[in-house]
């Protein structure tokens, strides 16, 4: 039994609900116990770091200070929160005099994807796979902040990462090679410059199709929302038809490990994944 | 020394040959606040070549660096580039001189917020301020509340309305906010920010 502190982040209460549900489901199956931080608050996200540095560091550090009280490693599913936490950690370690916080940067911060891609966890996952995802061609989409900047993420292959690919192969799926693993989807412009989001997302969907991916898999809440929810309008704008389900990696883990709630998670997608999974005989 | 002073005039600004206003203190300000040494930039343009949103920018990232070196404060702060930058860090990881360009973009936004210079993008600064208001009053982001506040300020109620409804039907929009978290600590973080420290 492994125990971690858990910071869900704001999106997992709303637009990325299925990420939170599937993450908790998978953790239960792997006997990873999560202790949600009591009274956690928003990490500040893009808006804080675009507005003021101290605001960005101190809003994030407040949550890290809560985690330090618990002493456990901190699991963070949203990569935007993760990036803010790691940046705050670096700052309070290097320039403690600059910031008003009790946080000392002592707790190990784990991004959920990195956590599950660690060798010991991969072993545990392998043992639990009851329904290999054979015949499913997945494009692993890492996006920006899960790999960049590498002095924050610690990812060595930041231009061509392969850790999620390894996880997908272990689940029995076929991870496909493609060149757009770490290209930006438009991220935080999702409510403001939707024209940019549509153009960037269209290129990703088009490249996924060219690489003959059945679906894309991600660990980023903004990537999932941008790619999943706008396929219809992107199709209309660019004279194409896209029907490429966008999964959270935890959903495919749950599917391969036989979690009973998968259909509820999938019902929250706007680009329906059930049809694809039925055609591959992976869901009833 | 005397010459420089008269050139700068009462505003502290100099005028370049092409009529652009130059603020000689601007490069130092950006350097101090970012901690980056951008004087090493030799204009290889790798940052702009890899930038996914360069097509929508009025000044390219490599040009921004050059203009900061020259002290073209107003030109840089009134560009749409600083707002459109999506903070994807592609430029920063590819720079052969290790200049964290994404961080410099952050600092330029910080300076722009207090500068009184009109932002070239209307909605993006509004979004950031509404987002921060939401944290200040609720501790966490309640997406529906955020969307409502943003739409009230931009007066653009129809944009993404149909999409929003489809998301509600799939249980992706939480109707009510969580209890206020963080209380006094959040308030004092914002108080320090509003006082300008």
């Amino acid at each position: 039994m492994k125990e971690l502190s858990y910071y869900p982040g704001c999106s997992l209460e709303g637009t990325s609900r299925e990420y939170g549900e599937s993450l908790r489901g998978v953790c239960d199956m792997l006997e990873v116990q999560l202790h949600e931080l009591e009274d956690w608050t928003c990490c500040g996200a893009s808006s804080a770091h675009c507005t003021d540095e101290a605001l960005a560091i101190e809003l994030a550090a407040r949550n890290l200070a809560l985690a330090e009280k618990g002493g456990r490693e901190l699991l963070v599913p949203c990569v935007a929160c993760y990036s803010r936490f790691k940046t705050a950690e670096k700052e309070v370690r290097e320039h403690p005099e600059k910031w008003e916080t009790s946080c000392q940067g002592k707790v190990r911060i784990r991004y959920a994807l990195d956590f599950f891609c660690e060798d010991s966890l991969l072993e545990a996952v392998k043992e639990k796979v009851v329904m290999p995802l054979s015949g499913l061609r997945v494009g692993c989409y890492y996006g920006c902040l899960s790999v960049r900047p590498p002095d924050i993420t610690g990812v060595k292959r930041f231009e061509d990462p392969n850790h999620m690919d390894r996880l997908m192969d272990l689940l029995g799926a076929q991870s496909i090679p493609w060149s757009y693993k770490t290209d930006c989807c438009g991220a935080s412009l999702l409510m403001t410059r939707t024209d940019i989001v549509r153009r960037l997302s269209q290129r990703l969907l088009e490249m996924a199709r060219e690489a003959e991916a059945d679906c894309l898999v991600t660990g980023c809440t903004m990537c999932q929302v941008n790619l999943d929810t706008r396929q219809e309008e992107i199709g209309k704008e660019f004279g194409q038809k896209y029907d490429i389900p966008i999964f959270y990696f935890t959903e495919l883990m749950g599917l391969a490990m036989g979690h009973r709630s998968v259909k509820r998670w999938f019902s929250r997608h706007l680009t329906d994944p059930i049809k694809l999974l039925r055609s591959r005989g992976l869901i009833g | 020394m005397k010459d420089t002073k008269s050139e700068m005039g009462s505003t502290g600004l100099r005028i370049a040959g092409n009529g652009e206003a130059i603020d000689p203190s601007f490069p130092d300000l950006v350097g101090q606040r970012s901690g980056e040494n951008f004087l090493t930039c030799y204009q290889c343009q790798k940052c702009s070549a890899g930038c996914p949103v360069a097509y929508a920018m009025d000044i390219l990232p490599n040009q921004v660096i050059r203009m900061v070196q020259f002290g073209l404060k107003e030109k840089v702060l009134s560009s749409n580039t600083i707002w459109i930058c999506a903070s994807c860090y592609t430029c920063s990881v590819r720079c052969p001189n290790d200049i964290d360009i994404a961080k410099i973009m952050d600092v330029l936004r910080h300076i722009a917020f207090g500068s009184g210079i009109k932002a070239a993008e209307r909605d993006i600064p509004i979004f950031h301020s509404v987002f921060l208001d939401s944290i200040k009053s609720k501790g966490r982001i309640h997406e529906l509340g955020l969307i409502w506040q943003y739409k009230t300020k931009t007066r653009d109620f129809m944009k993404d309305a149909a999409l929003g409804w489809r998301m509600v039907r799939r249980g992706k929009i939480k109707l009510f906010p969580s209890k206020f978290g963080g209380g006094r600590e959040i308030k004092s973080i914002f108080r320090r920010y509003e006082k300008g420290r």
Side-chain angles (χ1 to χ4, degrees):
Chain A
M1 170 77 74
K2 213 171 158 70
E3 292 188 49
L4 291 96
S5 292
Y6 178 54
Y7 176 88
C10 307
S11 311
L12 270 73
E13 294 193 326
T15 44
S16 309
R17 207 168 145 187
E18 66 270 36
Y19 189 17
E21 291 167 343
S22 57
L23 179 85
R24 283 191 176 273
V26 166
C27 283
D28 282 346
M29 295 183 98
L30 294 169
E31 294 181 358
V32 174
Q33 202 183 344
L34 301 180
H35 301 270
E36 184 168 329
L37 289 182
E38 238 176 82
D39 205 22
W40 60 266
T41 43
C42 177
C43 70
S46 318
S47 293
H49 80 72
C50 286
T51 305
D52 182 73
E53 191 180 15
L55 197 58
I57 302 300
E58 290 174 12
L59 283 172
R62 179 188 177 267
N63 294 294
L64 298 180
L66 290 179
E68 279 175 1
K69 281 187 204 149
R72 302 183 192 95
E73 291 183 0
L74 178 66
L75 188 71
V76 184
C78 171
V79 78
C81 307
Y82 171 70
S83 183
R84 296 322 309 158
F85 287 159
K86 291 292 284 186
T87 305
E89 175 193 56
K90 189 165 178 255
E91 277 297 324
V92 298
R93 279 183 187 168
E94 289 175 8
H95 309 286
E97 73 291 346
K98 271 172 80 177
W99 317 110
E100 281 198 42
T101 173
S102 62
C103 166
Q104 296 173 294
K106 282 193 305 198
V107 157
R108 187 170 178 207
I109 308 163
R110 312 294 308 273
Y111 170 45
L113 176 62
D114 298 344
F115 174 73
F116 287 114
C117 288
E118 206 177 61
D119 287 344
S120 61
L121 257 294
L122 284 180
E123 279 302 311
V125 173
K126 198 171 170 184
E127 275 174 31
K128 298 271 182 189
V129 172
V130 292
M131 187 183 59
L133 307 179
S134 34
L136 192 65
R137 289 173 57 84
V138 302
C140 290
Y141 178 50
Y142 297 80
C144 306
L145 298 177
S146 80
V147 291
R148 283 190 299 267
D151 62 331
I152 292 291
T153 63
V155 173
K156 289 197 184 78
R157 297 178 50 138
F158 57 87
E159 290 279 9
D160 181 26
N162 66 352
H163 46 290
M164 196 188 335
D165 295 69
R166 277 173 59 208
L167 174 64
M168 289 301 130
D169 292 342
L170 192 112
L171 300 177
Q174 188 190 346
S175 65
I176 52 125
W178 69 314
S179 307
Y180 284 73
K181 285 180 176 181
T182 62
D183 277 45
C184 181
C185 69
S188 58
L189 300 170
L190 87 173
M191 275 179 68
T192 50
R193 285 293 302 263
T194 44
D195 60 318
I196 295 181
V197 169
R198 286 196 300 272
R199 175 157 161 169
L200 267 50
S201 298
Q202 189 266 341
R203 200 171 52 166
L204 289 164
L205 293 168
E206 189 57 37
M207 290 303 132
R209 181 154 74 186
E210 197 168 284
E212 294 175 356
D214 293 327
C215 57
L216 292 178
V217 195
T218 182
C220 172
T221 55
M222 285 188 290
C223 299
Q224 202 277 345
V225 168
N226 280 341
L227 291 168
D228 172 54
T229 61
R230 296 190 183 275
Q231 290 193 21
E232 220 178 274
E233 49 179 303
I234 290 171
K236 273 185 202 150
E237 184 175 338
F238 292 86
Q240 299 283 344
K241 199 170 173 349
Y242 295 110
D243 191 10
I244 302 175
I246 315 293
F247 292 103
Y248 288 106
F249 67 96
T250 44
E251 292 180 300
L252 290 185
M253 288 173 76
L255 179 66
M257 299 196 297
H259 198 283
R260 54 186 156 69
S261 308
V262 287
K263 276 193 176 162
R264 195 180 67 220
W265 309 337
F266 298 151
S267 73
R268 304 203 189 284
H269 291 227
L270 267 71
T271 304
D272 174 34
I274 305 261
K275 206 167 48 190
L276 165 69
L277 296 176
R278 274 216 182 102
S279 76
R280 299 291 187 277
L282 296 171
I283 205 164
Chain B
M1 204 55 210
K2 204 178 156 196
D3 280 342
T4 320
K5 243 184 184 165
S6 62
E7 241 186 307
M8 284 167 70
S10 58
T11 58
L13 295 182
R14 277 192 287 177
I15 308 297
N18 61 357
E20 304 276 8
I22 291 177
D23 181 342
S25 66
F26 190 53
D28 282 347
L29 177 69
V30 176
Q32 268 165 22
R33 291 183 63 168
S34 66
E36 293 297 309
N37 176 14
F38 46 80
L39 297 177
T40 53
C41 171
Y42 46 55
Q43 292 292 313
C44 72
Q45 305 185 22
K46 217 170 167 184
C47 48
S48 302
C51 175
V53 287
Y55 80 91
M57 292 173 165
D58 50 11
I59 303 173
L60 294 173
N62 67 292
Q63 294 173 320
V64 167
I65 299 299
R66 196 54 151 177
M67 289 176 179
V68 172
Q69 289 174 346
F70 283 170
L72 296 173
K73 179 178 173 181
E74 196 167 336
K75 178 114 180 166
V76 169
L77 298 185
S78 60
S79 70
N80 74 2
T81 303
I82 60 172
W83 302 106
I84 282 179
C85 161
S87 303
C88 77
Y89 291 96
T90 307
C91 51
S92 302
V93 301
R94 291 181 184 171
C95 176
N97 292 310
D98 264 337
I99 304 169
D100 190 343
I101 299 143
K103 184 159 190 193
I104 291 174
M105 292 291 182
D106 254 354
V107 165
L108 293 172
R109 286 183 282 255
H110 301 167
I111 298 172
F113 265 115
S115 72
I117 292 173
K118 190 170 182 276
E121 287 288 317
R122 185 194 68 152
D123 293 354
I124 297 172
I126 292 179
F127 177 79
H128 293 323
S129 82
V130 167
F131 194 97
L132 292 174
D133 281 348
S134 186
I135 302 176
K136 189 180 159 189
S137 63
K138 300 199 180 61
R140 295 179 191 171
I141 293 298
H142 172 237
E143 291 163 332
L144 186 62
L146 173 71
I147 293 167
W148 180 253
Q149 289 297 330
Y150 174 69
K151 290 203 171 291
T152 309
K153 293 231 163 122
T154 55
R155 314 299 300 169
D156 191 358
F157 290 97
M158 291 321 288
K159 186 176 174 185
D160 288 336
L163 176 60
W165 176 238
R166 289 174 68 203
M167 289 171 82
V168 170
R169 280 173 45 209
R170 282 170 176 76
K172 272 179 169 278
I173 303 282
K174 196 178 165 195
L175 295 178
F176 301 102
S178 309
K179 275 198 319 232
F180 184 84
R184 291 215 313 258
E185 287 169 68
I186 293 290
K187 286 250 177 330
S188 65
I189 292 173
F190 274 93
R191 205 175 307 123
R192 287 198 292 277
Y193 159 62
E194 281 153 9
K195 270 191 188 160
R197 306 194 162 247

